[in-house]
C-alpha cells in the first residue's frame, strides 16, 4: 500500500438547494467576487442562483463567461487582467473542467509575478492564492482537490498541468440541481465518464485503502444512477446519487490520481475542442479492456455492481461481460462508439497520444505506457 497523508482543507456542501448556502460561506472571503461560469449555466438557471446567493449577502459579482471546453492561456490572461483591474477578493467558478480550471488558475496566479507561460512550463504557484470556491456542474471533475489543474498553452494547443497550492479550494458545493434537466443521452455520457474517472483512481498505482474504498463506492453510486429505480435507498433521486458520486470521485482522486482516460480527454479538448464526455465514453470500454491484465479483480467487482452473472463464471469472462455491458449502455443511449464518428483522423490521434503521455499523473497508471502504446489503444477505439 502507498503511504498517504489525509488532509482536506476544503469545506464541502452537498445536497438539494446547496447553492443557496454559498453566500453565508463566501461572505468571510470578501465583498467582490469574480464569477467564472460556463455560458450554458445561464440557460439552466444555475448561474443566476449562484449570483443571487452571493448578492443577497452584499457581495458584488463580476461575471466572466468567455470560456471554452479547455482552460486556454489567453482566456486565463484575460480573466486575470479583469480580476486584477477591479481588485477582486475571491474567485468562484462553475461549469465543467474548462471553466472551473480557468477560475482555479485565476485564483492561483492573481498574486504571482511573471508570465503565465512560466507557470505553464512548470513553475509552481507559491504566492498566497485568492480564496477559491467551486460549484461543479458535472460529474467528471477529477482535479477539484488535487495539487494540479489543466491549462492549455494556446501557442501550441498542448495540455499542461498548473501546479497549485494545497489550500486553494476553500469551498466546494455539489448541488443536485446541477445534475438535473439533462437529456437522457447526456446523462448517460456524464455518468459513464464519471465511472471512467473513478476507475482511473481506483486502479492507480498511487491508490491506498482510503481512496480504494471511496472510489469503489463512487463507481457503485454512478452505476446506481444509471438505474435509478434499482438500489437507491429511500427513493433517492438520480440527481442526488450523481452528486454523491461526483463528490466521492473528487475526494477519492485527491488521494490517488487521474489516469489515462483523463489524459486523453484533456488532450482532445485542448487540441481539437472536442467534448470530454464524448471522448471519455468512447474510450471507456477500451480502458476497461486494457485493465484486464493489471486489475482483473476490480473489473470483476464492477461486473457485480452491474449485476453481471458471476456464478461459476471465470474472472476473465466476467470482465469481458462487464465491458460488453458498458458497450450496450452506450448503444442504448445512441452515443458515439468510435473516434471516427466524431471526425478525428488517425493522424490527429498521434498528437493526442504524445500530449497525453507527457502529463505527470501518467506516472501512476497501473502499467507503464509510451505514446505508441496509447496510439495503439486509440486505434482500437477508432
Amino acid at each position: 500500500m502507498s503511504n498517504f497523508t489525509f488532509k482536506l482543507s476544503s469545506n464541502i456542501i452537498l445536497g438539494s438547494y446547496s447553492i443557496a448556502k454559498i453566500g453565508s460561506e463566501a461572505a468571510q472571503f470578501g465583498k467582490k467576487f469574480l464569477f467564472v461560469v460556463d455560458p450554458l449555466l445561464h440557460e439552466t438557471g444555475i448561474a443566476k442562483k449562484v449570483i443571487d446567493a452571493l448578492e443577497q449577502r452584499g457581495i458584488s459579482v463580476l461575471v466572466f463567461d468567455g470560456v471554452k471546453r479547455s482552460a486556454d492561456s489567453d482566456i486565463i490572461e484575460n480573466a486575470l487582467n479583469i480580476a486584477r483591474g477591479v481588485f477582486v477578493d475571491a474567485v468562484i467558478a462553475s461549469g465543467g473542467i474548462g471553466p472551473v480550471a480557468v477560475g482555479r488558475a485565476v485564483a492561483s496566479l492573481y498574486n504571482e509575478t511573471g508570465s503565465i507561460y512560466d507557470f505553464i512550463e512548470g513553475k509552481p504557484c507559491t504566492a498566497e492564492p485568492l480564496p477559491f470556491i467551486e460549484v461543479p456542474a458535472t460529474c467528471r471533475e477529477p482535479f477539484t482537490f488535487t495539487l494540479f489543474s489543466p491549462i492549455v498553452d494556446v501557442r501550441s494547443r498542448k495540455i499542461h498541468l498548473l501546479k497549485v497550492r494545497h489550500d486553494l479550494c476553500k469551498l466546494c458545493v455539489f448541488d443536485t440541481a446541477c445534475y438535473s434537466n439533462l437529456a437522457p443521452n447526456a446523462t448517460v455520457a456524464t455518468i459513464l465518464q464519471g465511472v471512467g474517472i473513478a476507475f482511473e483512481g481506483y486502479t492507480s498505482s498511487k491508490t491506498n485503502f482510503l481512496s480504494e474504498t471511496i472510489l469503489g463506492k463512487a463507481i457503485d453510486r454512478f452505476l446506481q444512477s444509471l438505474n435509478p429505480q434499482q438500489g437507491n435507498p429511500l427513493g433517492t433521486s438520480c440527481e442526488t446519487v450523481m452528486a454523491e458520486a461526483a463528490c466521492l470521485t473528487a475526494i477519492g482522486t485527491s488521494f490517488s490520481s487521474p489516469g489515462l482516460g483523463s489524459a486523453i480527454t484533456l488532450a482532445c479538448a485542448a487540441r481539437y475542442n472536442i467534448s470530454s464526455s464524448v471522448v471519455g465514453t468512447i474510450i471507456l470500454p477500451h480502458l476497461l479492456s486494457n485493465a484486464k491484465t493489471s486489475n482483473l479483480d476490480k473489473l470483476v467487482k464492477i461486473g457485480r455492481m452491474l449485476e453481471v452473472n458471476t456464478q461459476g463464471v471465470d474472472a476473465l469472462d466476467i470482465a469481458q461481460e462487464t465491458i460488453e455491458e458498458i458497450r450496450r449502455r452506450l448503444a442504448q443511449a445512441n452515443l458515439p462508439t468510435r473516434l471516427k464518428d466524431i471526425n478525428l483522423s488517425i493522424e490527429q490521434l498521434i498528437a493526442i497520444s504524445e500530449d497525453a503521455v507527457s502529463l505527470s499523473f501518467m506516472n501512476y497508471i497501473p502499467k507503464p505506457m509510451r505514446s505508441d502504446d496509447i496510439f495503439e489503444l486509440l486505434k482500437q477505439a477508432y
Side-chain angles (χ1 to χ4, degrees):
M1 182 186 75
S2 300
N3 292 334
F4 75 102
T5 301
F6 176 72
K7 183 177 183 181
L8 197 62
S9 57
S10 306
N11 287 337
I12 296 174
I13 302 175
L14 185 153
S16 302
Y17 307 105
S18 296
I19 288 175
K21 302 175 183 178
I22 288 180
S24 59
E25 293 285 337
Q28 63 185 301
F29 302 125
K31 291 295 184 180
K32 190 181 293 183
F33 278 46
L34 179 72
F35 180 27
V36 182
V37 61
D38 187 325
L40 291 175
L41 296 187
H42 291 303
E43 300 175 18
T44 64
I46 297 298
K48 186 178 187 303
K49 289 181 180 181
V50 173
I51 294 168
D52 289 347
L54 294 171
E55 290 182 341
Q56 287 170 7
R57 292 288 176 161
I59 297 171
S60 174
V61 183
L62 177 62
V63 176
F64 182 86
D65 55 10
V67 292
K68 299 179 182 179
R69 286 194 174 102
S70 56
D72 294 2
S73 55
D74 58 345
I75 293 175
I76 293 169
E77 283 187 305
N78 186 19
L80 259 175
N81 289 335
I82 293 171
R84 288 168 173 164
V86 297
F87 303 100
V88 299
D89 300 313
V91 178
I92 185 167
S94 186
I97 290 178
V100 169
V102 170
R104 199 180 288 126
V106 171
S108 296
L109 298 173
Y110 185 86
N111 290 316
E112 297 284 357
T113 57
S115 168
I116 187 175
Y117 295 101
D118 294 335
F119 298 94
I120 286 176
E121 291 166 5
K123 180 181 177 181
C125 296
T126 56
E128 185 73 22
L130 289 183
F132 177 66
I133 299 173
E134 181 176 338
V135 184
T138 174
C139 299
R140 48 184 189 268
E141 169 52 271
F143 303 103
T144 301
F145 305 120
T146 64
L147 298 178
F148 45 84
S149 182
I151 186 170
V152 178
D153 187 338
V154 293
R155 302 170 300 181
S156 61
R157 298 305 312 171
K158 184 175 180 180
I159 188 70
H160 295 266
L161 296 175
L162 178 69
K163 298 175 182 176
V164 303
R165 288 183 27 156
H166 74 278
D167 58 347
L168 173 63
C169 186
K170 301 299 184 184
L171 173 67
C172 191
V173 178
F174 297 89
D175 193 309
T176 57
C178 293
Y179 309 99
S180 61
N181 301 317
L182 293 174
N185 62 341
T187 299
V188 173
T190 297
I191 291 170
L192 289 180
Q193 192 190 5
V195 169
I197 292 170
F199 186 73
E200 292 171 5
Y202 190 49
T203 57
S204 169
S205 65
K206 195 179 178 182
T207 195
N208 53 63
F209 81 94
L210 182 59
S211 59
E212 276 196 28
T213 302
I214 293 172
L215 291 167
K217 186 62 177 177
I219 293 169
D220 185 44
R221 297 303 273 164
F222 274 130
L223 295 176
Q224 283 182 24
S225 65
L226 283 175
N227 298 300
Q229 73 279 10
Q230 297 178 1
N232 291 352
L234 303 177
T236 307
S237 70
C238 175
E239 293 82 5
T240 298
V241 180
M242 290 172 68
E244 291 171 354
C247 180
L248 289 169
T249 300
I251 295 172
T253 304
S254 72
F255 304 133
S256 183
S257 173
L260 177 57
S262 292
I264 291 171
T265 57
L266 288 172
C268 284
R271 285 275 180 186
Y272 308 115
N273 194 31
I274 298 174
S275 166
S276 65
S277 63
V278 172
V279 176
T281 51
I282 289 173
I283 64 173
L284 177 58
H286 302 277
L287 296 176
L288 295 176
S289 183
N290 188 55
K292 286 193 292 187
T293 57
S294 59
N295 285 278
L296 181 61
D297 59 327
K298 291 179 179 177
L299 271 176
V300 170
K301 288 179 182 178
I302 292 177
R304 293 194 183 102
M305 295 176 195
L306 282 167
E307 299 184 352
V308 168
N309 179 27
T310 59
Q311 192 167 4
V313 182
D314 179 80
L316 272 174
D317 291 335
I318 295 171
Q320 188 58 43
E321 180 57 27
T322 299
I323 295 164
E324 293 305 319
E325 178 62 23
I326 294 294
R327 287 197 170 102
R328 281 193 286 272
R329 301 296 182 112
L330 291 172
Q332 288 171 3
N334 293 317
L335 294 170
T337 57
R338 292 287 173 185
L339 292 174
K340 64 182 178 183
D341 297 337
I342 56 174
N343 299 319
L344 279 172
S345 69
I346 287 287
E347 291 74 20
Q348 288 173 323
L349 300 184
I350 296 173
I352 292 169
S353 303
E354 292 172 347
D355 290 353
V357 80
S358 70
L359 296 175
S360 59
F361 60 73
M362 287 289 286
N363 292 326
Y364 302 109
I365 60 176
K367 55 185 180 183
M369 296 182 76
R370 302 170 300 171
S371 61
D372 288 347
D373 300 320
I374 299 173
F375 179 57
E376 288 300 318
L377 183 145
L378 291 176
K379 282 199 299 183
Q380 294 171 18
Y382 190 75

